[in-house]
Amino acid sequence: MKNHVLRPLWVAIAFVALIFLARYFLVPSDFGVQGESFTYNYHRKSNVQEWKDFQVKYLGSDVCVVECHSENGESLMASPHAIIECENCHGPGVDHPETEEPAAMSVDTSRLLCIRCHADLNYPGTARAAIPGINPDEHNVDSECVECHNPHNPDLEEM
Amino acid sequence: MSCSRRTLLKNAVKGCVAASLPVSAFKFLSPAEARAAVGDPAVRWGFLVDTTKCVGCGMCVKACKKENEVPYDAAVTRTWVERYVITRDNKSHVDSPMGARDGFTDQKIDKLEIAPEDIAKAFFVPKLCNQCENPACVQVCPVGATYKTRDGVVLIDRKWCIGCGYCIMACPYGVRFFHPKYKVAEKCNFCYHRITKGMDSACVHACPFGARKIGDLKDENDPVTQVIMNERVAVLKDEYGTKPQVFYIGLDHNVR
């Protein structure tokens, strides 16, 4: 073959080789089909572990109650609010139990916390209707709910 | 070049056979890959939502956002709760303010006041990623940054995602969004870091009413599997053929 045909051919070959070389260095070695199908399981394998290592933030009421706050726990567990996790009202407990000065938890005394469940929406037949409801625009508007109701034991009899 | 009718036919047949060979026939699997391909993973995560128990408090949304570090005040969320109010004139009103992060505290729907006597039915529907058996979002990813794990959860590789947004458009359920901080696609992954440690997903853990449950669909004795096998459950948008793995109790035909 003549030179003027070969020269561009070499250029093309070199270009393709360069792409393969770049691919070799850029694509992680664990990239591939990790399962039955190319369509759904083509990925970097170590990413699965990366997700598993993501930090857990909600620890569960057991941690709060068993370790330190048995008093709050007992009163809550005996009340109509027993079904609510501590962390739903106090925020995630991550970092809290381990710290020397555990001030990290939030104490949310806002009305907004309570009316998530207690604002009366008037939807008969729903589970919402089974929760005692109030109209937030009428029920003691100027005060926080917890000034009158104990969030850990909201029983009206014991007010 | 001359070509007899005989050689032409012969070559045509050969060509057809060659063309019909799947590309995968030429793909060589490493022994590890081949083993992984035949081996049966022991777990398949599935989810059960009981809409009849949901009160719309939004504790699940709050917990999800905090657990998964989804920017709290941005209007994006991995899971959300929709409120449906169907009026007597058969109109369906739907809303989900901030994904119900702060629950539903007002009777007004999108600033519309509906008189209680006009309401035919009302209910709440929690939504999250369906971790489909045939995830459309995974099919469209041009770079292999989203995939299905062997236990059935669809994950996103944040290092590999280029943020093109194809998957966000492809999901029929609208569960994907653009992460404002990492600038990649984002969605619910059943709290993969929790379920693989034997814990419940954050939303399941937070729900005081047991409206959300997660379980292993390959374990016949799992309470979630029992319900899905023995009771009447439905999935969202069955007609798309994505085979969702989030099952609903008490799903209404108005739910989209």
Side-chain angles (χ1 to χ4, degrees), chain B residues 36-63:
Chain B
V38 283
D40 204 6
V43 183
R44 204 312 170 196
W45 296 107
F47 208 95
L48 182 65
V49 178
D50 189 343
T51 59
T52 63
K53 288 184 178 161
C54 182
V55 306
C57 68
M59 287 298 188
C60 49
V61 181
K62 178 182 173 186

Side-chain angles (χ1 to χ4, degrees), chain B residues 93-111:
Chain B
H93 304 267
V94 193
D95 77 340
S96 183
M98 278 303 272
R101 185 195 72 182
D102 303 323
F104 295 91
T105 55
D106 197 334
Q107 283 183 359
K108 288 197 201 86
I109 292 195
D110 277 337
K111 301 192 184 93

Side-chain angles (χ1 to χ4, degrees), chain B residues 3-53:
Chain B
C3 180
S4 71
R5 184 179 294 174
R6 169 176 278 261
T7 43
L8 175 77
L9 286 176
K10 257 190 184 167
N11 285 340
V13 169
K14 272 191 213 154
C16 286
V17 172
S20 62
L21 263 180
V23 185
S24 59
F26 297 106
K27 200 176 155 311
F28 293 96
L29 290 175
S30 74
E33 274 175 342
R35 227 179 299 123
V38 283
D40 204 6
V43 183
R44 204 312 170 196
W45 296 107
F47 208 95
L48 182 65
V49 178
D50 189 343
T51 59
T52 63
K53 288 184 178 161

Side-chain angles (χ1 to χ4, degrees), chain A residues 58 84-91 113, chain B residues 59 62-63 205-208:
Chain A
Y58 280 79
I84 313 175
E85 286 279 327
C86 311
E87 287 165 300
N88 275 350
C89 296
H90 290 293
L113 174 68
Chain B
M59 287 298 188
K62 178 182 173 186
H205 177 76
C207 181

Side-chain angles (χ1 to χ4, degrees), chain A residues 116-132:
Chain A
R116 284 168 169 265
C117 294
H118 287 293
D120 191 359
L121 295 179
N122 209 336
Y123 296 152
T126 62
R128 179 68 170 246
I131 301 175

